[in-house]
Amino acid sequence: MKFIKTDLKDAYLIELEMRGDDRGFFARSMCRDEFSEVGLDSNFVQQNTSFSAQRGTLRGMHFQRAPFGEDKLVRCISGAIVDVIVDIRKDSPTYLKHQMFELTSRNRLQLYVPKGFAHSFMTLEDNVEVSYLVTAPYTPASEDGLRYSDEELGIDWPLPVTVISEKDDSWPLLKDRQEALY
């Protein structure tokens, strides 16, 4: 695997190193030792799958408040998404900065999202499936999120939002929050 630093502190884009022959290819998508060499947590305890039927579906921006934060390893296994992460760690030099990544079943890129980041994705095609590993179990009481359309974040989504949950469309704006994000 090739670990590519992003513009956001501690987040990585991961490119698979494919070994191919006339049968196809083989690639490692997670290796504890390789993750450890880069300083990334690979103690994944849960795998989640998300399917979205319509292009323009937006999921997120989700995070779990401390101490229940989770690292994620995200991969689009069918179709294409734009994945957006926002650093919400108050003491980080990239606090409230975001970055956008195109993850597709064709490019096979993965995104490592550290604790203290809000995570969201938008489908670029119909019938998209996303799989991600997490380092902590889901804890409903610590669930939180950012509003995808918050002007303070300045995210320029590539498509109009066609499908979004009521919860994701109603997360509080940054200006209305009293407590620290993470």
Side-chain angles (χ1 to χ4, degrees):
M1 288 174 284
K2 182 178 178 184
F3 294 84
I4 304 161
K5 289 185 178 183
T6 68
D7 295 341
L8 303 177
K9 185 175 174 14
D10 303 323
Y12 284 83
L13 196 59
I14 301 170
E15 186 178 324
L16 304 183
E17 291 181 344
M18 296 187 227
R19 291 175 172 69
D21 58 24
D22 48 343
R23 297 171 295 170
F25 72 87
F26 173 85
R28 202 174 7 216
S29 58
M30 206 300 288
C31 172
R32 184 186 63 212
D33 293 342
E34 289 183 49
F35 273 59
S36 184
E37 287 173 14
V38 181
L40 304 181
D41 188 355
S42 63
N43 186 29
F44 298 111
V45 300
Q46 187 173 303
Q47 182 171 10
N48 302 316
T49 300
S50 167
F51 175 80
S52 300
Q54 288 185 27
R55 177 180 191 251
T57 297
L58 191 132
R59 294 180 182 267
M61 312 207 73
H62 303 143
F63 64 94
Q64 292 205 133
R65 291 184 305 277
F68 301 101
E70 59 189 6
D71 300 303
K72 296 179 183 176
L73 181 61
V74 183
R75 184 170 179 203
C76 181
I77 57 176
S78 179
I81 63 171
V82 165
D83 200 304
V84 176
I85 56 175
V86 177
D87 188 347
I88 58 172
R89 301 169 297 175
K90 189 78 169 167
D91 59 350
S92 172
T94 56
Y95 178 64
L96 293 186
K97 303 285 188 226
H98 73 275
Q99 193 168 356
M100 189 176 289
F101 306 89
E102 188 168 324
L103 306 179
T104 74
S105 57
R106 294 167 293 287
N107 70 18
R108 295 181 178 88
L109 293 172
Q110 300 182 112
L111 182 61
Y112 185 87
V113 183
K115 293 173 190 67
F117 277 70
H119 173 252
S120 183
F121 65 86
M122 171 181 271
T123 60
L124 300 175
E125 302 174 2
D126 291 340
N127 301 316
V128 171
E129 190 168 348
V130 175
S131 179
Y132 54 101
L133 299 170
V134 293
T135 58
Y138 173 64
T139 308
S142 73
E143 179 184 41
D144 207 341
L146 301 178
R147 181 99 50 94
Y148 78 98
S149 58
D150 194 324
E151 289 182 11
E152 196 170 331
L153 294 174
I155 299 169
D156 186 19
W157 296 96
L159 299 172
V161 175
T162 56
V163 179
I164 188 169
S165 72
E166 185 177 324
K167 177 175 65 174
D168 287 348
D169 199 26
S170 61
W171 291 115
L173 297 171
L174 289 169
K175 68 179 182 157
D176 298 330
R177 288 182 174 267
Q178 303 300 313
E179 75 284 351
L181 292 172
Y182 194 85

